[in-house]
Amino acid sequence: VYQILGVSQESKEWVADPANRLCDVPGSWFCPGQYPPAMREVLDKRLDFAQLEDFNKGKADEEYQKQYFDHLNDPAKAKRKAMEKNIKEETEEAREG
């Protein structure tokens, strides 16, 4: 679960626009959420979690599961790695921009 900080006014307006809702019928209360276009880059990088017992999936992402449990067992280490990754990405973006 993520909390997005510093949401742009453009994204807020996009979410508020009824034309961007995927309701089962017009005016319905059941409208599954969708994210504004500004989130596309972040969402494209996501890796959906798979249950370990999901035998129907076929191929499992064992490296992802290993990292997940490593981070679960040592949250401080996970936080350090995430901060290091963010600093590295910000440094690369600054060099490019």
Side-chain angles (χ1 to χ4, degrees):
V1 176
Y2 292 92
Q3 178 180 6
I4 306 299
L5 304 175
V7 177
S8 70
Q9 187 61 37
E10 180 182 3
S11 287
K12 289 178 183 180
E13 291 170 3
W14 188 92
V15 169
D17 184 352
N20 294 321
R21 295 191 183 132
L22 300 174
C23 302
D24 57 350
V25 293
S28 173
W29 62 269
F30 182 71
C31 303
Q34 58 175 353
Y35 295 97
M39 291 293 300
R40 179 65 46 216
E41 182 180 343
V42 172
L43 295 174
D44 285 346
K45 294 179 184 178
R46 78 175 179 248
L47 180 61
D48 293 334
F49 181 79
Q51 293 291 330
L52 294 177
E53 300 85 13
D54 187 359
F55 299 109
N56 295 321
K57 183 177 178 197
K59 181 183 170 196
D61 188 347
E62 293 178 16
E63 180 59 29
Y64 172 77
Q65 291 174 356
K66 178 185 178 305
Q67 288 179 10
Y68 174 82
F69 286 110
D70 286 347
H71 293 168
L72 189 63
N73 291 326
D74 191 350
K77 181 179 176 184
K79 183 177 180 180
R80 277 193 314 274
K81 287 178 80 173
M83 290 174 69
E84 290 170 0
K85 181 180 176 187
N86 285 342
I87 290 169
K88 181 181 176 185
E89 289 174 355
E90 288 173 358
T91 302
E92 290 174 359
E93 288 175 6
R95 286 183 188 152
E96 293 173 0

